[in-house]
Amino acid sequence: MNWPLLREELALMPGPALADGQPSWTLHDPARNRFFNIDWPTFEVLRRWSFADAQAIVESVRQESTLALEPEDVERVTRFLGENQLLQARPGNARKLAERLGQMQGSRFKWLLHHYLFFRVPLVRPDAWLGRWQGVAGRFYSRGFALLTLGALLLGLGQVARQWDSFTASLVDTFTWQGLAAYGVAVFLVKLLHELGHAFTAKRLGCRVPTMGVAFLVLWPMAYTDTNDTWRLTSRWQRLRVAAAGIVTELGVAAWATLAWGLLPDGELRSAAFVLATTSWVATLAINASPFMRFDGYFILADWLDMPNLHERSFALARWKLREWLFDLGEERPEHFVPAKERALVAFAWVTWAYRLVVFLGIAVLVYHFAVKAIGILLFMVEIGWFILMPIRHELRAWKERWPAIRGRRRSRISLVVALLLVALVLLPWPGRVTVSGLLRPIAVWPVHAPGPAYLDALPHAEGDVIEAGEVLVRLAAPDVQVRRDAAAAQVERLRWLAASAGFDSESRARLQSAQEELATAETALAGLDQELARYQPKAPFAGYLYDLDPDLQAGQWLGSKERIALLVGREGYMVETFLDEEAVKRVALGDTAAFVSDGGEGGRLDLVVRHIDADATRVLANGMLSAQAGGHILVRERRGQRVPERGVYRVVLAVAPPLERLAGRSWRGTVVIHGGWEAPAWRYLRNAFAVLLREASL
C-alpha cells in the first residue's frame, strides 16, 4: 500500500478538554490558517502515522492505551485528512488534484454566485500595530474602567428616564437626510471600535491577528477581523472573551454616549452623542447578539456551551430527529447528548431555520426592489434558490438515498397519510368564514334635544312607551322666544290696524304702501318664531319607542341648549353594520347568512343576512367604535380630525333575521361571523401571488 504522508508544515498543539472530559488537540494548517479540533483516538492515530500501516497503528494504540481501535478508524482518519487537504500530494496525482480543485471551484457561474453571496476584502494587516498599542489598550481592560463604565451606564439611563420626552423627540428629529447621514457615520465608527475590540483582546491573549477588512453578505458590507488564531487557546473562556469583546466594546460606547447625551447642553455634540448611543444599542441588541446568524452572539453561545460548529451540529441533529419523527428509521444519532440538551439543540435548530427564512426572504425582496428589474428578478431567484430551496433539495436527496428503508416503515405510511390530509385541507374548498367586529344598531333612530335654553313644561311619556308618528314627545317652554313671539304678534296687530285705517285721512293713505311692506315682514318674522316655538314641542317623525329618558327630569327643570332628552327608536328593526377589506369582501355575497354576538352578551346570538355591500371603498370612518383604537378591527389614522382607514374597506349592512322590534338597549359592538362562499385556502394565496407577479411584470 502506498501510505499517504502528512504535510510537514502542519502543527499539532494541545486543545481544550471536550464536554465528556476527554482531552482534545488542535491541528493547525498555516497555509490556509485553518484549525481542526481532533479527539483522543484521532490524536493517537496521528502520533503513529509514521508506522505507515493501519494494522500496526491499531495494535500499537491497543497496547499503549485503553482505546480499542479498528482498522476502519484509521481509514476514517485518512479520509478526514484527505478531504481537508492535509496530506502531501503524491507524484502523478496532478490530474486528480486539478479535478478536485475544479470541483471545489465549480463553474464560473458558481464562482460568481459564491462571491455574490459572500466574499471578503482584506484591507490591513494589523498584527504589528496591535502589539505596539497594547499598553494603551490595556487600560480599558482594567477593573477600574469597567466600574466607571457601569456607573456611566446607570447615570445615563437615569438621565434618559428623567428626560424621556426629549429623548424620543431627538429620535424623531433624526429621521432626516442629515440624521441618516449622521447614523451612517456613527455605524462606521461603532463597527470600527467593535472590530478593534476583537483584535486587541485576541492580541492580548497571545493570538495573531493577520487581517482586518470588509466582508460582503449579499453585497451588504460588514467589517470583519480574522481571529481564527484563537483556536490555539486551550481555555474556552478565553475564546469567549474574544467573541464577546465586540459587543462589550459597543455597550461601553453606548454607556458613555448615553451619559454624554444626558449631561451635554443642546447642540451638535449632544446630537452626536445621541446618534452614537442609539446606534450602539440597536446594533448590539438587534444584530450582533443574535445567535441565529454567524455573528458575535453565535460564537458567544458556541463558546459558552463549548460546542464548536454549533449550527452544523444542531442542524444535523434536527435533520436526524425530523427523519425519526417522519419515518422511524432507527438510525444512529449524529451525536449523543443528555435528553434535555438534545431537545434544546433541536429547538434551537428549528428556530434558527425559521429566523433565517424570514431574514433571507427579506433580503431577497430588498435586492429585488433596489436593483434593476431584470437583475432584481435574477438575484431574487438566486436568493430563494440558494438559501431556501437548496437546503430542501439536499434533505430530499437524503430521503431518496434512504428510500428502501423509508418505504418499509409503518411510520412512513402514517406520515404520508397525514401529509395527504394536510394537502387536502389546503386544496379542498372550505366554507368561507369572515370574522370581524360589527355594530348592532336600530335602522331608524332620532335623538330628542332641547333646541335652545328652555324649561321642561311637561313630559307626557315614560321610558319605553310606544310612540305614534306625529305625537308630541316633550313640551318645552322657551320664555325668551315666547317674549319675542309676543312682541312680533303685537307688531303685526299694530300694522294690521294701520293698514285697515289707511283710508280715513290723506296721511294714512300715503303710508299705506310702506305699512303693507312692514306688515309682510312682521308676519314673516312671526311665522319664523312660531316655527321656532314648534321646535320646543318636538313630534315623532316615525312610530317607535322612547328610550334614554333621564329619571330625574321633572316639570319646571331648566335644560341647556342641545341637551339630550330622549332617544326615539323606530319599529323598522335592527341592523348590523361592519366593514370588510378587499380580500374579505370578495368572499361575501348578498344573501349570505351570518351571526352576531355582542361583546357584552346582550341579546344573545342573533342571526343575520347580508343585505347591502358598498361598491366603493369607505374613505372616512364615521363611527369610531369599529376602529382598532376603540377595540374594533379597522386600522385608522387621524387626518384633519377624521378617521381614515389605513386600507380600503367596504361597508356591509346585515339585517337581523327574523326582524327584531326592540331589544334591551340601543347599539352594541360585537363579533360578526359571515358564512361566505366555499374556497380552498391555498387559492387565496395563489391568487395574491399571481396578482403580485402580474403587477410586477407590467412595470
Side-chain angles (χ1 to χ4, degrees):
M1 176 182 178
N2 191 4
W3 189 255
L5 300 178
L6 289 172
R7 286 167 46 193
E8 296 181 356
E9 71 272 21
L10 298 180
L12 189 63
M13 60 197 75
L18 300 181
D20 57 3
Q22 68 168 304
S24 72
W25 286 261
T26 301
L27 185 64
H28 181 213
D29 179 1
R32 295 178 295 166
N33 197 30
R34 294 189 62 182
F35 294 83
F36 302 89
N37 188 245
I38 61 175
D39 56 9
W40 182 21
T42 304
F43 170 74
E44 294 294 342
V45 171
L46 291 179
R47 283 183 60 191
R48 298 164 175 82
W49 197 257
S50 60
F51 291 2
D53 182 77
Q55 189 62 41
I57 292 174
V58 168
E59 292 177 358
S60 176
V61 171
R62 288 179 176 177
Q63 293 174 3
E64 299 176 11
S65 70
T66 58
L67 295 173
L69 298 186
E70 299 292 339
E72 291 78 9
D73 297 315
V74 179
E75 294 178 6
R76 175 182 58 81
V77 175
T78 305
R79 287 196 303 271
F80 160 74
L81 296 173
E83 291 171 357
N84 291 281
Q85 305 175 43
L86 301 175
L87 299 174
Q88 295 183 22
R90 298 178 182 177
N93 283 356
R95 177 178 297 179
K96 185 178 295 185
L97 292 175
E99 291 177 354
R100 177 179 298 178
L101 180 61
Q103 292 176 356
M104 293 176 59
Q105 292 180 345
S107 63
R108 292 185 178 181
F109 176 76
K110 187 175 181 181
W111 180 90
L112 181 63
L113 178 63
H114 277 283
H115 284 74
Y116 156 67
L117 295 174
F118 181 79
F119 65 94
R120 286 181 173 182
V121 179
L123 298 178
V124 294
R125 300 183 180 276
D127 193 67
W129 180 84
L130 293 172
R132 290 194 299 269
W133 285 86
Q134 274 298 313
V136 176
R139 300 174 183 176
F140 296 99
Y141 292 90
S142 63
R143 183 183 298 272
F145 181 76
L147 294 176
L148 283 176
T149 303
L150 180 60
L153 173 62
L154 296 177
L155 289 175
L157 293 178
Q159 291 296 320
V160 170
R162 292 178 56 188
Q163 306 177 56
W164 180 248
D165 293 338
S166 177
F167 186 84
T168 54
S170 299
L171 182 62
V172 174
D173 292 340
T174 57
F175 288 102
T176 61
W177 288 113
Q178 295 82 357
L180 294 177
Y183 269 111
V185 174
V187 167
F188 174 79
L189 293 176
V190 168
K191 290 306 173 185
L192 178 61
L193 294 174
H194 177 106
E195 297 305 323
L196 287 176
H198 287 305
F200 274 112
T201 305
K203 190 65 177 177
R204 182 180 180 84
L205 295 175
C207 300
R208 178 173 171 268
V209 182
T211 60
M212 294 176 66
V214 179
F216 290 86
L217 177 62
V218 194
L219 302 182
W220 184 263
M222 300 182 300
Y224 83 93
T225 301
D226 187 349
T227 57
N228 282 340
D229 210 52
T230 55
W231 285 106
R232 295 177 180 273
L233 302 174
T234 58
S235 171
R236 64 186 175 107
W237 299 111
Q238 289 181 329
R239 296 199 305 271
L240 183 62
R241 287 176 60 187
V242 176
I247 288 180
V248 172
T249 301
E250 288 197 37
L251 290 177
V253 171
W256 287 102
T258 303
L259 177 62
W261 178 88
L263 299 180
L264 289 172
D266 290 334
E268 295 182 356
L269 286 178
R270 194 182 198 214
S271 299
F274 175 83
V275 171
L276 274 177
T278 53
T279 301
S280 301
W281 286 116
V282 172
T284 298
L285 300 179
I287 300 176
N288 290 320
S290 171
F292 307 119
M293 301 291 286
R294 295 184 72 88
F295 297 139
D296 290 348
Y298 164 73
F299 295 104
I300 292 172
L301 181 62
D303 288 330
W304 180 60
L305 296 175
D306 196 17
M307 288 191 64
N309 301 319
L310 174 61
H311 277 167
E312 290 76 5
R313 296 165 72 179
S314 63
F315 293 170
L317 192 63
R319 288 192 294 267
W320 167 82
K321 194 66 175 179
L322 176 64
R323 295 164 193 159
E324 292 302 310
W325 283 338
L326 294 178
F327 312 124
D328 191 23
L329 298 176
E331 293 183 343
E332 185 68 19
R333 288 173 168 81
E335 291 185 77
H336 289 269
F337 301 98
V338 296
K341 190 171 185 178
E342 179 180 291
R343 290 192 295 269
L345 289 173
V346 171
F348 174 74
W350 281 100
V351 174
T352 302
W353 287 339
Y355 177 87
R356 289 187 174 185
L357 176 64
V358 174
V359 170
F360 293 147
L361 283 175
I363 293 175
V365 172
L366 287 177
V367 168
Y368 168 74
H369 281 289
F370 284 98
V372 179
K373 277 303 178 196
I375 299 177
I377 293 174
L378 176 62
L379 297 182
F380 178 86
M381 295 173 62
V382 168
E383 295 284 328
I384 298 300
W386 185 266
F387 289 119
I388 297 176
L389 298 182
M390 187 70 75
I392 296 176
R393 177 173 174 268
H394 289 164
E395 183 60 23
L396 293 178
R397 182 181 297 174
W399 292 6
K400 182 180 179 180
E401 294 173 355
R402 295 166 173 80
W403 177 245
I406 291 175
R407 185 172 50 187
R409 306 298 294 180
R410 180 173 178 270
R411 178 76 61 82
S412 302
R413 293 189 288 271
I414 296 175
S415 299
L416 178 61
V417 171
V418 173
L420 292 176
L421 287 176
L422 292 176
V423 172
L425 291 177
V426 173
L427 297 180
L428 294 179
W430 281 71
R433 291 170 60 91
V434 180
T435 303
V436 290
S437 60
L439 185 65
L440 174 67
R441 63 178 182 83
I443 296 175
V445 62
W446 190 64
V448 183
H449 295 95
Y455 68 87
L456 184 62
D457 187 27
L459 191 63
H461 302 287
E463 175 78 11
D465 280 359
V466 178
I467 305 297
E468 299 298 333
E471 191 172 351
V472 176
L473 299 174
V474 63
R475 300 183 185 278
L476 301 173
D480 178 63
V481 179
Q482 186 65 46
V483 168
R484 288 189 287 116
R485 193 269 175 195
D486 292 342
Q491 178 71 3
V492 168
E493 287 298 325
R494 185 180 67 80
L495 292 173
R496 285 176 180 172
W497 181 85
L498 288 176
S501 61
F504 290 98
D505 55 60
S506 59
E507 183 180 354
S508 296
R509 285 194 300 271
R511 296 183 55 191
L512 175 60
Q513 185 175 358
S514 62
Q516 288 176 341
E517 293 176 356
E518 291 181 15
L519 176 60
T521 302
E523 287 177 343
T524 301
L526 179 62
L529 290 171
D530 285 337
Q531 291 179 359
E532 187 173 354
L533 280 176
R535 294 172 57 205
Y536 288 86
Q537 312 290 322
K539 297 180 180 180
F542 49 79
Y545 308 95
L546 200 65
Y547 290 112
D548 277 358
L549 277 173
D550 187 349
D552 295 331
L553 280 179
Q554 297 179 0
Q557 183 175 343
W558 278 93
L559 302 175
S561 178
K562 305 301 181 182
E563 184 174 344
R564 181 166 164 175
I565 301 172
L567 187 71
L568 180 65
V569 177
R571 298 179 185 176
E572 290 85 350
Y574 285 73
M575 70 176 188
V576 172
E577 183 181 49
T578 188
F579 295 84
L580 303 181
D581 60 25
E582 186 175 359
E583 180 63 34
V585 79
K586 293 177 182 177
R587 300 157 55 194
V588 176
L590 297 178
D592 286 346
T593 60
F596 174 86
V597 177
S598 67
D599 292 341
E602 296 91 343
R605 180 183 183 275
L606 300 179
D607 294 326
L608 310 174
V609 178
V610 177
R611 291 300 185 210
H612 174 77
I613 302 174
D614 281 359
D616 295 327
T618 299
R619 292 175 174 81
V620 177
L621 192 67
N623 194 317
M625 291 183 65
L626 297 182
S627 66
Q629 292 84 340
H633 71 285
I634 305 174
L635 293 174
V636 299
R637 64 180 183 275
E638 293 288 337
R639 180 185 294 176
R640 298 178 182 176
Q642 295 180 320
R643 290 175 287 267
V644 179
E646 290 284 355
R647 302 174 58 189
V649 292
Y650 297 79
R651 179 174 174 266
V652 178
V653 177
L654 304 97
V656 180
L660 296 174
E661 288 193 0
R662 57 197 301 180
L663 294 172
R666 266 63 58 202
S667 298
W668 300 278
R669 187 182 63 206
T671 301
V672 180
V673 180
I674 305 175
H675 307 289
W678 288 55
E679 184 181 40
W683 173 241
R684 187 188 321 164
Y685 300 102
L686 290 175
R687 185 171 60 239
N688 288 339
F690 286 138
V692 171
L693 290 176
L694 290 175
R695 183 181 69 243
E696 296 298 330
S698 63
L699 295 178

